[in-house]
Amino acid sequence: MLALEHANAALRRLAEELTELGASRMPTERALADRLQTSRTTVRKALELLENDGTIRRVRGRSGGAYLTKVQLQDAASQTARPLCSGRGVLRSLNTVKGIPEILHEQGFRDGTTVIRSGLVPAPSTVREALHLSSDEFVVSLLRLRHADGDTLSLERMFLRTEVAEVLSTEMKSIYRTLGSQFGVQICAADESIEMAAISQSEGVLLGLPAATPVLKLRRVGYDQHGRALEYSVDLFRADRTRLHVRSQSSPSTDSGPSFVQPAAGIGSKPARYRS
């Protein structure tokens, strides 16, 4: 009983401290047991007491936990969330087509590229589908590590059609620039999907991050000036160094209602989903 009373008093103090800090969730039962040097059974019973008097609300399941009920709504508002990219991050716009070296130069970063692996490989099924290739075709494969001011920024796996296989004989630092200057090919548009992902141990070794660290995972299909799918890439961007920017715009309604001033040429046109 003394152990339960001690745990209940300690957890109540912790709940008050976390509430003052604006935190919304108590640590896990295991973390609390380690902190109080007691059993998880005792912690569980102490949490039940806090739940009974309305101090916490417990949610079951994988994403569950003990949530504080007295945290003010403004403290839990989305604008108070601490961004992972809290320092000087690289702003990656999704409205224009630019290579990473160009983006870094424009923002005052010193760029760097390490080519880890390059060559011709049989096209994986996802690449064949994206580039509309037959089952027996090969593709150019590049695995590169990008740096900004000497620190890792992203790990990029790029696949290209073999028509531009001569890029393998270049320094392979800026593929977009090389395609334009040496092959007359421009990547003019791209379809991209973005999601959060946890890196593997091998990816973490290259990026200098622990395994399972969250990153921004971008899948991209790049199209040349003739509208042909030429590139398929999967990029892993460090979430603590990258910010995304996209401009969305809807067309004025054609229904009867207030009239709109026609925008000047080049202003208000709806941008395609481009790669930066």
Side-chain angles (χ1 to χ4, degrees), residues 174-227:
S174 177
I175 295 299
Y176 280 16
R177 184 183 303 145
T178 300
L179 288 176
S181 62
Q182 298 189 26
F183 301 95
V185 176
Q186 295 181 347
I187 302 297
C188 296
D191 288 324
E192 292 188 306
S193 65
I194 306 168
E195 61 183 334
M196 295 298 296
I199 57 175
S200 66
Q201 183 174 0
S202 59
E203 292 164 342
V205 169
L206 293 173
L207 287 168
L209 300 172
T213 297
V215 295
L216 291 169
K217 183 175 183 177
L218 284 73
R219 290 186 177 91
R220 178 178 61 260
V221 179
Y223 300 87
D224 65 13
Q225 65 267 41
H226 306 295

Side-chain angles (χ1 to χ4, degrees), residues 80-155:
T80 64
R82 182 178 62 86
L84 291 177
C85 187
S86 56
R88 183 177 176 232
V90 176
L91 182 63
R92 190 183 185 283
S93 173
L94 301 178
N95 304 313
T96 57
V97 181
K98 292 180 182 178
I100 294 301
E102 185 179 357
I103 293 174
L104 295 177
H105 285 160
E106 289 179 350
Q107 298 179 32
F109 289 93
R110 176 170 52 88
D111 74 284
T113 300
T114 301
V115 180
I116 300 171
R117 188 166 59 247
S118 64
L120 293 175
V121 300
S125 58
T126 53
V127 178
R128 292 200 306 267
E129 181 179 356
L131 302 185
H132 309 293
L133 303 175
S134 60
S135 59
D136 59 346
E137 288 194 66
F138 281 65
V139 287
V140 175
S141 173
L142 300 175
L143 181 63
R144 298 177 297 171
L145 188 63
R146 299 288 198 180
H147 306 268
D149 285 348
D151 199 3
T152 58
L153 172 66
S154 64
L155 180 63

